[in-house]
Amino acid sequence: LKHIKMKKRAILGIDLQNDFVLINGALSVNGAEEDAKRIGAFISNNKKDIHHISLTLDSHHPLHIANPIYWKDKDGNHPSPFTVITYQDIKDGKWTTSINPQWSFRYVEELEKQGSQLTIWNEHCLLGTDGWAIVTPVIKACIEWEETNCKPYNLWFKGSNWFTEHYSIFKAAVTYPGAPETDLNQQLIQVLNEYDEVYICGEAMNYCCLNSIKDLNTYAPDLMKKVLILEDCMSPIGTFDINTDPVYQEAVRLGAKIIKSTDVLF
């Protein structure tokens, strides 16, 4: 009998943190609690067939360019969560900041050049808080996996730089000068490239997952043929169709597969 080479499999779990997953989390994603249970079960049920786990952590300071405290109007009032601040608003004097204003205004302009925008979020995933922690079903499964396989699960941090958003684990929305942590994360790409299959799951489907996949499409297109996107292990904010979205469809064109965790039989 020919020796059959066993596939090396990795999981990339994106932002599976209490503030996103729990129903009372600061920026709760509808459906995420059930996703987390499925991810925990997927890891536990297949712990001997999974060879690497990387988890990402959105990791903010209270003072951050996408948090209310950073911006103020002419009366000193901060914007409400979910306010969109445009470059025109800044030019019109509607919003300003005393924190690094030259960069901050240019940052909003750069986002708009990319076809994006600055949305103000409520404070979430603040470093060291309960909301920042990995949700229980996932971290319990990772600890069990580590004890079974005698190898560490890996944690990757993003978002701690005050001056740029960091949806994707691979790159900040706008790279901040002199801050390498906001530039392309070549190390994680190299780690994932060591595996034959890379299972992606996490929150939210149309924010941090989407932006991470978009960066892989752009910066590591050859990796995409190894990627399996677990659509039942991620949920969107609002209305979103993974099967028609251009980023996910580009991933499929490059060789990725969109599947359910229950379809996987190792």
Side-chain angles (χ1 to χ4, degrees):
L1 286 174
K2 275 188 180 175
H3 176 69
I4 299 169
K5 179 179 172 283
M6 189 173 73
K7 283 187 175 175
K8 290 171 67 185
R9 301 180 181 93
I11 290 180
L12 176 61
I14 295 172
D15 294 8
L16 289 159
Q17 295 161 271
N18 290 329
D19 269 346
F20 294 128
V21 175
L22 298 183
I23 203 159
N24 61 347
L27 207 53
S28 180
V29 177
N30 191 30
E33 286 195 355
E34 295 308 310
D35 296 336
K37 289 175 190 169
R38 282 188 283 270
I39 293 163
F42 182 75
I43 294 168
S44 293
N45 294 340
N46 300 296
K47 57 182 175 282
K48 290 185 177 171
D49 296 301
I50 294 165
H51 307 94
H52 174 87
I53 296 175
S54 275
L55 302 176
T56 77
L57 283 153
D58 210 26
S59 301
H60 294 305
H61 290 275
L63 199 56
H64 185 263
I65 202 161
N67 282 355
I69 195 173
Y70 194 97
W71 297 91
K72 59 191 176 185
D73 65 15
K74 63 183 188 308
D75 300 316
N77 299 309
H78 301 300
S80 303
F82 311 110
T83 298
V84 173
I85 293 179
T86 67
Y87 189 60
Q88 190 62 48
D89 289 340
I90 291 166
K91 287 204 289 188
D92 292 344
K94 185 176 178 183
W95 298 111
T96 189
T97 181
S98 51
I99 307 153
N100 201 354
Q102 190 176 354
W103 164 263
S104 303
F105 303 158
R106 188 183 130 212
Y107 172 77
V108 176
E109 189 178 22
E110 287 295 320
L111 284 180
E112 291 181 2
K113 282 181 189 169
Q114 296 175 17
S116 189
Q117 62 185 23
L118 175 60
T119 301
I120 300 301
W121 305 106
N122 47 337
E123 290 183 353
H124 61 278
C125 297
L126 298 184
L127 281 153
T129 65
D130 290 344
W132 176 66
I134 301 289
V135 71
T136 298
V138 174
I139 203 63
K140 276 181 75 174
C142 289
I143 290 167
E144 183 188 340
W145 174 87
E146 180 164 319
E147 289 169 348
T148 299
N149 293 288
C150 293
K151 27 172 112 157
Y153 56 86
N154 287 247
L155 300 177
W156 303 83
F157 304 93
K158 65 183 178 73
S160 58
N161 188 290
W162 285 10
F163 303 117
T164 183
E165 291 175 290
H166 213 137
Y167 294 121
S168 164
I169 184 53
F170 297 105
K171 195 171 184 291
V174 181
T175 301
Y176 187 71
E181 75 278 6
T182 69
D183 214 337
L184 184 65
N185 189 338
Q186 297 274 17
Q187 187 185 358
L188 178 54
I189 290 171
Q190 286 166 5
V191 166
L192 297 177
N193 250 325
E194 292 171 16
Y195 296 88
D196 302 309
E197 294 179 345
V198 178
Y199 292 81
I200 297 180
C201 55
E203 305 302 343
M205 181 186 278
N206 53 341
Y207 278 90
C208 296
C209 294
L210 180 144
N211 281 277
S212 296
I213 288 165
K214 184 178 180 182
D215 280 345
L216 286 179
N217 291 345
T218 304
Y219 299 106
D222 291 347
L223 177 62
M224 296 312 291
K225 59 183 177 287
K226 302 178 178 185
V227 167
L228 298 109
I229 298 163
L230 299 177
E231 66 170 322
D232 63 331
C233 295
M234 51 174 74
S235 293
I237 295 171
T239 310
F240 182 79
D241 185 356
I242 194 172
N243 295 305
T244 58
D245 175 76
V247 169
Y248 283 95
Q249 289 316 295
E250 174 65 5
V252 169
R253 189 189 72 75
L254 291 167
K257 295 181 178 69
I258 298 173
I259 62 169
K260 291 185 164 60
S261 59
T262 48
D263 296 337
V264 180
L265 295 171
F266 293 149

